[in-house]
Amino acid sequence: MVSSPTDDVTDETVWACRTTDPHLAHELLTLMRPGDLLRIGGHLALPGPGDEGGPRLDVDALSLLAPAPAMDLAETVLDRYGPYLVVLNPETDTVPVFTETGAWVGLAEHPDTITDLIHAHETGTRSTPNPDQKG
């Protein structure tokens, strides 16, 4: 986690975090994006004898306060959403989504709907055909 109390990069602090709640880990790895403004609750754990590194935050609460600002893309970008990969193309709003193994997930109608498509894929509630495959 990067704590940024001001807009100045010199004020940023990087914290090592951990959680024992698999739901929090899942949310962070699949639903949150770099740059999202998050509220993270937990307690500070100081290093004990033999521990390497500094203090860490044991996280027990996570909430999204504001999504990351939309990126203005100048070229096609491959981005990761946990175990999913997306292809962001500045020339179109639609976003192809694949698993990291290359399996087709679907076509998000807009970058804001990527997480909805991933959730639907994980729950088995929606599937869209791969436009490159011949049927």
Side-chain angles (χ1 to χ4, degrees):
M1 171 182 74
V2 177
S3 174
S4 204
T6 68
D7 289 336
D8 191 345
V9 120
T10 59
D11 293 331
E12 289 183 352
T13 303
V14 177
W15 289 92
C17 297
R18 72 177 186 181
T19 186
T20 57
D21 184 338
H23 299 305
L24 289 179
H26 175 77
E27 281 185 37
L28 185 61
L29 294 173
T30 61
L31 302 178
M32 306 300 173
R33 299 180 309 176
D36 283 349
L37 180 61
L38 305 175
R39 174 173 286 137
I40 298 176
H43 63 277
L44 188 61
L46 299 175
D51 283 348
E52 292 183 21
R56 71 176 180 277
L57 184 63
D58 288 337
V59 178
D60 56 25
L62 173 70
S63 60
L64 177 66
L65 298 178
M71 298 184 299
D72 271 341
L73 298 176
E75 57 188 48
T76 301
V77 174
L78 184 65
D79 199 3
R80 177 178 285 278
Y81 282 66
Y84 297 92
L85 300 174
V86 301
V87 182
L88 300 166
N89 183 339
E91 297 179 12
T92 180
D93 282 340
T94 58
V95 182
V97 180
F98 301 86
T99 66
E100 61 190 353
T101 61
W104 175 252
V105 172
L107 192 62
E109 296 171 8
H110 190 272
D112 292 340
T113 62
I114 294 170
T115 54
D116 295 335
L117 178 65
I118 290 171
H119 177 73
H121 174 75
E122 289 179 346
T123 59
T125 57
R126 179 178 172 201
S127 176
T128 61
N130 183 338
D132 294 333
Q133 288 181 341
K134 306 272 188 241

